[in-house]
Amino acid sequence: MRRDRLTFLMMTGLPAIQLVLFGYAIQTDVRHLRTVVLDESRSAESRALIATIGNSGNFDIIGDVASREALRDAVESGDANAALVIPPDYEREIKGGRTAAVQMIVDAADPQTSAAALSGALLAAQARATQIISERYRLLAPLDMRVRPWYNPAQRSAVFIVPGVIGILLTITLTLITGIAIVRERERGTLEQLIVTPISKTSLMLGKLVPFVVVGYVQMTVVLGLGKLIFDIPIRGSVLLLYVLTVPFIIASLGVGLLVSTFARSQGQAMQMTFFFMLPNILLSGYVFPRMSMPAPAQWIGLMLPLTYYLKVLRGILVKGVGFAELWRPTLSLAVFAVVLLAFSVRRFSKTIE
Amino acid sequence: MNDCGSPPAAPLAVETVGLRKAFGALVAVDHLDLTIPRGEVFGLLGPNGSGKTTTIRMLCGLLLPTAGRASVVGHDVATEAEFIRTKIGYMSQRYGLYDDLTVYENLRFYATVYGLHGTARAARLDAHLAALGLDELRTQMAGTLSGGWKQRLALACATAHEPEMLFLDEPTAGVDPAARRAFWTSIYELARRGTTILVTTHYMDEAERCQRLAFLSRGHLIGLGTVQEILTQFAQPTIEDVFIELQRRDEGAAV
């Protein structure tokens, strides 16, 4: 391994790069939208509203614009993602006890970005409205909804994504690298050379697969460590339990890798096949995109991927801190995958080497 | 495992009766009857696609025969492949070396796979390296060796366990004449010590070094005997002429 630099790089570099890329880049929570303000009221009331919205965390007030045209320019050029328009009669309407209308324009080309902005704007306006009412009538708000975001109170996506990186990485290592390694042995003739030796098929396969199990566990440990260090992800449950429940996932993934190696005739083919397998894993397993929002067929495909269940185990143990009692169902599914995939691929592998 | 005083060996190293291998509709080898006594250097010749490699692969237990039977060192290839594997060595055109292991590591790996350990293994490896002149290169990566040296290393790996029977599938393809000569010296040395050798080749000078030859054409055995017997049978001046005559017949039949 010391000499096969490329493989070594793929095995150690991948965890780090994936972790940083996905940990930092995939921020499904949109914060700090750049916001310009067209304040035609220029009053104490309008400044109070701007302050409320600016303090919500969803909007960063980056400046004032003088006109509707300037506002449009700012949004169209992408300098601003949102624009707040306060009409000239804003203060007058509020003072007069009538309903004042304000406008929030959001660049909603990306629905994910805009969703947070839209709800953020509504919440800020409601907060301000409640404040005005309670000041005016010296009343206390009749209802106070206290939302408690469990498990991830700060709602950071890293908490959600980083455990998933472990699942994705294990999938890559155990299917892609395993598949390629075996196909390479076939290409070079070393596999054939080994088959004519007295070594048993079982030892041959174990010899090929076990090192990757070790690599998988090392990667997992690296990501857990770096995730804790860089992203401060929680490790609430038992790491030991996680390592144990990873076994069926590893076996299932190795089964896929072995299966790929029996179909692929060259390393390039193995790469393509694995890529074909990786795509649904990344998109449909719930790694980044919530499965609940997917159309039914996409959800069904997701149910056929071991990673979908493994992500439940990962997030359950790391983020929620639950134990086996809560995780026996995904574990059972993983075990079924493991048995079926391994049995099938070993059978096929034995056949190809007769 | 390979000590002296082992039970009396079967007189035949290889025996096939009606051996046949079909890949779907394609019959690669058909009705092959072949006997090779122990200690012989036996050449298997024939144009590309004549079934040489398929035959060797069946004898090594890499392929199961479709019909007929074959035994190697007295044991059936279909039912006793595991046992046969401890007694044979196999070297293919691709050599089966790990490019990113050193010469010594390759050799040690294969010796270990054949069940050699400890001081016995170390002694055996040293002897092999010395015999093949690989001693100076023991720390060089196998991937950086020239063709001739790779071939020698592959031979060393295939014979690390001192097999009774050695299968060589076009062992000298793409190797320069000097290396080929050295290789054949090693082959004769192995034969002298009692190893039976079955070799396939395209080189006619190599064919003429074999004690007996078998010509395969389109999966059938069409000539068998010493070089002289073959020349007489086909009424040709040299083995090369026999070969070309066969190839011509093959092409004629294919049209």
Side-chain angles (χ1 to χ4, degrees):
Chain A
M1 182 161 89
R2 164 165 50 100
R3 299 187 186 124
D4 191 348
R5 292 235 163 78
L6 189 69
T7 305
F8 182 75
L9 215 77
M10 271 179 87
M11 286 192 295
T12 52
L14 261 181
I17 293 173
Q18 281 257 334
L19 181 71
V20 173
L21 266 186
F22 290 122
Y24 277 120
I26 303 182
Q27 298 282 347
T28 47
D29 44 346
V30 178
R31 294 273 167 85
H32 307 293
L33 288 171
R34 289 186 307 273
T35 308
V36 290
V37 177
L38 174 58
D39 184 1
E40 295 170 326
S41 167
R42 304 204 166 273
S43 57
E45 279 295 340
S46 71
R47 279 188 292 278
L49 177 66
I50 294 168
T52 307
I53 286 179
N55 290 337
S56 72
N58 284 309
F59 303 95
D60 281 354
I61 310 293
I62 56 167
D64 286 316
V65 286
S67 65
R68 289 258 163 189
E69 287 69 38
L71 180 149
R72 178 172 286 275
D73 283 348
V75 175
E76 280 183 351
S77 67
D79 290 342
N81 312 111
L84 177 67
V85 183
I86 305 175
D89 57 354
Y90 177 72
E91 193 176 43
R92 214 177 327 125
E93 296 285 317
I94 285 181
K95 291 268 161 69
R98 290 175 296 273
T99 306
V102 290
Q103 196 177 32
M104 177 67 88
I105 294 161
V106 175
D107 172 3
D110 173 1
Q112 275 207 12
T113 313
S114 54
L118 295 172
S119 61
L122 289 175
L123 283 176
Q126 268 172 22
R128 181 69 194 133
T130 313
Q131 214 180 342
I132 293 169
I133 291 172
S134 59
E135 275 170 12
R136 185 178 299 162
Y137 302 107
R138 300 184 196 290
L139 285 174
L140 287 175
L143 179 65
D144 180 13
M145 170 72 88
R146 298 193 176 176
V147 180
R148 291 280 175 275
W150 276 14
Y151 309 126
N152 186 5
Q155 297 202 278
R156 292 179 301 129
S157 12
V159 172
F160 180 71
I161 295 295
V162 172
V165 173
I166 294 175
I168 287 287
L169 265 176
L170 286 180
T171 312
I172 293 177
T173 307
L174 300 173
T175 58
L176 179 70
I177 303 185
T178 308
I180 286 182
I182 296 175
V183 172
R184 181 167 54 204
E185 292 234 7
R186 199 191 301 278
E187 277 182 351
R188 291 195 186 165
T190 48
L191 191 62
E192 188 179 77
Q193 197 67 48
L194 284 175
I195 296 164
V196 297
T197 69
I199 196 169
S200 73
K201 273 176 207 161
T202 321
S203 345
L204 179 58
M205 273 187 268
L206 282 180
K208 286 292 136 220
L209 300 184
V210 168
F212 292 101
V213 175
V214 176
V215 171
Y217 272 114
V218 169
Q219 289 187 333
M220 185 168 160
T221 311
V222 166
V223 174
L224 274 180
L226 284 180
K228 181 88 192 141
L229 213 69
I230 303 178
F231 297 103
D232 193 29
I233 59 150
I235 302 178
R236 296 208 175 88
S238 152
V239 175
L240 183 68
L241 179 70
L242 179 61
Y243 278 52
V244 171
L245 295 192
T246 299
V247 171
F249 178 68
I250 282 183
I251 295 175
S253 303
L254 282 175
V256 175
L258 197 58
L259 203 60
V260 164
S261 79
T262 65
F263 283 104
R265 261 163 296 160
S266 65
Q267 294 183 53
Q269 270 191 358
M271 188 99 77
Q272 283 180 337
M273 284 183 197
T274 319
F275 191 69
F276 188 72
F277 174 72
M278 285 307 299
L279 266 181
N281 268 295
I282 291 172
L283 297 175
L284 303 179
S285 65
Y287 169 45
V288 180
F289 307 108
R291 279 171 34 77
M292 276 179 292
S293 65
M294 292 174 195
Q299 292 199 19
W300 297 332
I301 296 174
L303 288 178
M304 293 188 295
L305 303 170
L307 183 61
T308 305
Y309 302 92
Y310 185 55
L311 286 178
K312 285 185 189 163
V313 172
L314 275 169
R315 287 176 181 146
I317 291 176
L318 292 176
V319 184
K320 292 190 185 177
V322 298
F324 184 69
E326 290 80 8
L327 293 173
W328 68 270
R329 261 188 295 201
T331 307
L332 184 69
S333 307
L334 281 175
V336 171
F337 273 115
V339 170
V340 171
L341 281 170
L342 194 71
F344 183 59
S345 59
V346 164
R347 252 181 74 121
R348 256 199 71 91
F349 186 71
S350 303
K351 252 188 197 154
T352 58
I353 63 176
E354 287 210 6
Chain B
M1 241 189 338
N2 284 348
D3 56 350
C4 307
S6 51
L12 290 177
V14 172
E15 183 181 21
T16 73
V17 180
L19 193 64
R20 173 184 167 95
K21 179 70 193 181
F23 299 101
L26 177 82
V27 180
V29 173
D30 206 4
H31 298 303
L32 183 65
D33 299 321
L34 208 59
T35 53
I36 304 174
R38 279 181 182 264
E40 193 167 65
V41 178
F42 188 91
L44 197 55
L45 278 73
N48 288 329
S50 57
K52 302 184 302 274
T53 297
T54 305
T55 304
I56 281 204
R57 291 173 66 89
M58 279 192 282
L59 295 177
C60 291
L62 283 165
L63 283 174
L64 278 175
T66 311
R69 60 175 193 82
S71 61
V72 172
V73 293
H75 295 267
D76 191 89
V77 293
T79 56
E80 296 170 284
E82 295 297 323
F83 178 81
I84 292 173
R85 283 176 187 156
T86 64
K87 299 290 178 197
I88 61 166
Y90 168 73
M91 178 181 155
S92 74
Q93 295 145 263
R94 292 183 293 177
Y95 298 155
L97 299 173
Y98 289 93
D99 285 350
D100 37 19
L101 294 184
T102 65
V103 166
Y104 188 76
E105 285 165 341
N106 264 291
L107 201 50
R108 190 183 56 195
F109 173 70
Y110 281 111
T112 311
V113 166
Y114 278 108
L116 294 169
H117 295 284
T119 48
R121 180 179 69 185
R124 181 79 64 87
L125 296 191
D126 286 338
H128 265 78
L129 286 171
L132 291 163
L134 284 163
D135 223 358
E136 316 242 299
L137 300 168
R138 59 163 65 208
T139 55
Q140 190 173 336
M141 296 295 153
T144 62
L145 292 174
S146 70
W149 286 112
K150 267 189 190 166
Q151 176 207 43
R152 276 196 207 193
L153 176 57
L155 182 67
C157 290
T159 55
H161 55 305
E162 302 193 337
E164 293 176 26
M165 167 95 216
L166 184 59
F167 293 96
L168 304 167
D169 190 8
E170 295 189 20
T172 53
V175 167
D176 65 56
R180 272 169 57 199
R181 179 166 298 174
F183 185 77
W184 274 91
T185 309
S186 308
I187 295 296
Y188 277 120
E189 176 57 26
L190 286 167
R192 199 184 53 75
R193 281 188 277 151
T195 310
T196 313
I197 289 156
L198 191 157
V199 57
T200 70
T201 180
H202 278 307
Y203 295 106
M204 294 310 121
D205 58 321
E206 288 186 354
E208 287 167 6
R209 289 167 185 265
C210 297
Q211 286 158 336
R212 280 200 310 150
L213 297 174
F215 265 98
L216 287 182
S217 172
R218 305 166 67 77
H220 292 267
L221 180 67
I222 55 164
L224 178 70
T226 61
V227 173
Q228 210 48 53
E229 286 165 354
I230 296 278
L231 294 181
T232 316
Q233 182 190 338
F234 290 93
Q236 296 287 345
T238 68
I239 289 292
E240 188 157 346
D241 291 305
V242 176
F243 201 91
I244 290 166
E245 165 66 14
L246 281 176
Q247 195 125 31
R248 205 177 49 76
R249 277 196 218 169
D250 264 14
E251 280 158 13
V255 171

